[in-house]
Amino acid sequence: MSDSQILERTQRFLSFLRHCQVLGLSVEHADRRGLTLRLPYSEKIVGNPETGGVHGGAITTLMDTTCGISTACALPELEVCPTLDLRIDYMHPAEPGHDIFGFAECYRVTPTVIFTRGVAYQRDINEPIAHAVGTFMRMGKAAQGPFGKGGAA
Protein backbone atom coordinates (compact mmCIF):
# COMPACT_ATOMS: atom_id res chain seq x y z
CA MET A 1 0.00 0.00 0.00
CA SER A 2 1.31 3.44 -0.90
CA ASP A 3 1.77 6.31 1.54
CA SER A 4 -1.03 8.25 -0.20
CA GLN A 5 -3.38 5.30 0.35
CA ILE A 6 -2.38 5.18 4.02
CA LEU A 7 -3.06 8.91 4.32
CA GLU A 8 -6.50 8.54 2.71
CA ARG A 9 -7.31 5.56 4.94
CA THR A 10 -6.39 7.41 8.15
CA GLN A 11 -8.30 10.54 7.12
CA ARG A 12 -11.39 8.47 6.39
CA PHE A 13 -11.09 6.57 9.68
CA LEU A 14 -10.80 9.85 11.62
CA SER A 15 -13.83 11.30 9.81
CA PHE A 16 -16.08 8.62 11.37
CA LEU A 17 -15.20 9.61 14.95
CA ARG A 18 -17.67 12.30 16.02
CA HIS A 19 -15.83 13.34 19.19
CA CYS A 20 -12.71 13.91 17.08
CA GLN A 21 -14.67 16.09 14.68
CA VAL A 22 -15.91 18.19 17.62
CA LEU A 23 -12.35 18.61 18.89
CA GLY A 24 -11.11 19.50 15.39
CA LEU A 25 -8.56 16.66 15.14
CA SER A 26 -6.93 16.33 11.74
CA VAL A 27 -4.35 14.08 10.12
CA GLU A 28 -1.08 15.94 9.81
CA HIS A 29 0.93 13.05 8.34
CA ALA A 30 0.54 9.31 7.80
CA ASP A 31 2.76 6.65 6.26
CA ARG A 32 4.05 3.15 7.01
CA ARG A 33 6.15 4.49 9.90
CA GLY A 34 3.23 6.02 11.78
CA LEU A 35 0.67 8.74 12.17
CA THR A 36 0.66 12.34 13.35
CA LEU A 37 -2.61 14.03 14.35
CA ARG A 38 -3.14 17.70 15.21
CA LEU A 39 -5.36 18.88 18.07
CA PRO A 40 -5.94 22.61 17.60
CA TYR A 41 -5.89 24.75 20.70
CA SER A 42 -9.38 26.04 21.47
CA GLU A 43 -11.65 26.85 24.40
CA LYS A 44 -13.11 23.34 24.02
CA ILE A 45 -9.93 21.76 25.41
CA VAL A 46 -9.22 24.24 28.23
CA GLY A 47 -9.32 22.63 31.65
CA ASN A 48 -8.37 25.70 33.68
CA PRO A 49 -10.05 28.90 32.44
CA GLU A 50 -7.81 31.10 34.59
CA THR A 51 -4.58 29.90 32.96
CA GLY A 52 -5.85 28.49 29.66
CA GLY A 53 -4.27 25.15 30.56
CA VAL A 54 -5.28 22.15 28.47
CA HIS A 55 -7.41 19.48 30.12
CA GLY A 56 -5.64 16.11 30.41
CA GLY A 57 -8.68 14.40 28.91
CA ALA A 58 -8.08 16.19 25.61
CA ILE A 59 -4.52 14.85 25.49
CA THR A 60 -5.75 11.38 26.44
CA THR A 61 -8.29 11.51 23.60
CA LEU A 62 -5.59 12.68 21.19
CA MET A 63 -3.23 9.86 22.14
CA ASP A 64 -5.86 7.11 22.24
CA THR A 65 -7.03 8.18 18.78
CA THR A 66 -3.51 8.55 17.39
CA CYS A 67 -2.39 5.17 18.69
CA GLY A 68 -5.64 3.54 17.55
CA ILE A 69 -5.58 4.94 14.04
CA SER A 70 -1.86 4.18 13.69
CA THR A 71 -2.98 0.55 13.34
CA ALA A 72 -4.32 1.54 9.92
CA CYS A 73 -0.76 2.44 8.92
CA ALA A 74 0.58 -1.02 9.78
CA LEU A 75 -2.11 -3.39 8.56
CA PRO A 76 -2.49 -4.47 4.93
CA GLU A 77 -6.29 -4.26 5.25
CA LEU A 78 -8.25 -1.99 7.55
CA GLU A 79 -9.54 -3.58 10.74
CA VAL A 80 -11.44 -2.11 13.65
CA CYS A 81 -9.07 -2.45 16.61
CA PRO A 82 -10.55 -1.33 19.94
CA THR A 83 -8.31 -0.21 22.78
CA LEU A 84 -7.32 -2.95 25.21
CA ASP A 85 -4.96 -0.87 27.32
CA LEU A 86 -3.61 2.67 27.22
CA ARG A 87 -0.99 4.18 29.48
CA ILE A 88 -0.10 7.85 29.33
CA ASP A 89 2.77 9.37 31.28
CA TYR A 90 2.49 13.15 31.48
CA MET A 91 5.86 14.92 31.40
CA HIS A 92 4.72 18.55 31.69
CA PRO A 93 1.62 20.66 30.99
CA ALA A 94 0.80 21.76 27.47
CA GLU A 95 1.48 25.42 26.78
CA PRO A 96 -1.77 27.40 26.41
CA GLY A 97 -2.49 28.86 22.99
CA HIS A 98 -0.56 26.28 20.95
CA ASP A 99 -1.75 23.26 19.00
CA ILE A 100 -0.84 19.80 20.25
CA PHE A 101 0.41 17.02 18.01
CA GLY A 102 0.21 13.30 18.64
CA PHE A 103 2.56 10.86 16.94
CA ALA A 104 2.16 7.08 17.20
CA GLU A 105 3.66 4.01 15.61
CA CYS A 106 2.92 0.30 15.72
CA TYR A 107 6.01 -1.50 16.91
CA ARG A 108 4.60 -5.03 17.00
CA VAL A 109 1.68 -6.65 15.19
CA THR A 110 0.51 -10.11 16.23
CA PRO A 111 -2.49 -12.10 15.00
CA THR A 112 -4.56 -10.88 17.98
CA VAL A 113 -2.96 -7.71 19.40
CA ILE A 114 -1.23 -4.61 18.03
CA PHE A 115 1.29 -2.77 20.23
CA THR A 116 1.72 0.99 19.79
CA ARG A 117 3.77 3.81 21.30
CA GLY A 118 3.70 7.52 20.83
CA VAL A 119 4.19 11.02 22.13
CA ALA A 120 2.16 14.21 22.46
CA TYR A 121 4.12 17.39 21.81
CA GLN A 122 3.78 21.01 20.76
CA ARG A 123 6.81 22.59 19.12
CA ASP A 124 9.36 19.77 19.26
CA ILE A 125 8.73 16.02 19.26
CA ASN A 126 11.90 15.68 21.36
CA GLU A 127 10.25 17.68 24.15
CA PRO A 128 7.09 15.63 24.71
CA ILE A 129 4.14 16.64 26.83
CA ALA A 130 3.34 12.97 27.32
CA HIS A 131 4.40 9.46 26.34
CA ALA A 132 1.78 6.85 25.45
CA VAL A 133 1.80 3.08 25.11
CA GLY A 134 -1.30 1.30 23.88
CA THR A 135 -2.46 -2.16 22.94
CA PHE A 136 -5.31 -2.77 20.52
CA MET A 137 -7.31 -5.92 19.86
CA ARG A 138 -7.47 -7.18 16.30
CA MET A 139 -11.02 -8.07 15.36
CA GLY A 140 -10.37 -8.85 11.70
CA LYS A 141 -11.72 -7.20 8.59
CA ALA A 142 -15.14 -8.80 9.15
CA ALA A 143 -15.70 -6.33 11.99
CA GLN A 144 -14.88 -3.27 9.90
CA GLY A 145 -18.35 -1.71 10.06
CA PRO A 146 -18.70 1.56 8.13
CA PHE A 147 -14.98 1.88 7.33
CA GLY A 148 -15.12 0.22 3.93
CA LYS A 149 -15.28 -3.08 2.14
CA GLY A 150 -12.27 -5.34 1.86
CA GLY A 151 -10.21 -3.08 4.07
CA ALA A 152 -10.08 -0.24 1.55
CA ALA A 153 -10.78 2.90 3.49
Side-chain angles (χ1 to χ4, degrees), residues 14 19-26 37-48 52-67 86 88 90 93-95 98-103 119-122 129-130 132:
L14 185 64
H19 65 287
C20 295
Q21 294 169 11
V22 170
L23 290 172
L25 286 177
S26 61
L37 297 182
R38 175 191 296 259
L39 172 63
Y41 184 84
S42 71
E43 290 183 20
K44 294 176 186 174
I45 66 171
V46 171
N48 183 340
V54 175
H55 192 283
I59 296 170
T60 298
T61 298
L62 171 66
M63 294 314 299
D64 185 33
T65 304
T66 306
C67 288
L86 181 70
I88 299 179
Y90 289 92
E95 188 177 334
H98 297 279
D99 294 352
I100 302 170
F101 299 89
F103 169 79
V119 294
Y121 65 97
Q122 286 181 297
I129 296 165

Side-chain angles (χ1 to χ4, degrees), residues 100-119:
I100 302 170
F101 299 89
F103 169 79
E105 63 182 347
C106 297
Y107 66 92
R108 181 154 165 72
V109 177
T110 75
T112 55
V113 178
I114 299 176
F115 298 85
T116 67
R117 60 184 163 218
V119 294

Side-chain angles (χ1 to χ4, degrees), residues 133-144:
V133 178
T135 54
F136 296 83
M137 180 173 61
R138 292 186 70 179
M139 297 181 65
K141 68 179 187 176
Q144 65 193 341

Side-chain angles (χ1 to χ4, degrees), residues 67-82:
C67 288
I69 297 178
S70 75
T71 63
C73 299
L75 296 172
E77 295 188 21
L78 186 64
E79 299 176 29
V80 174
C81 300

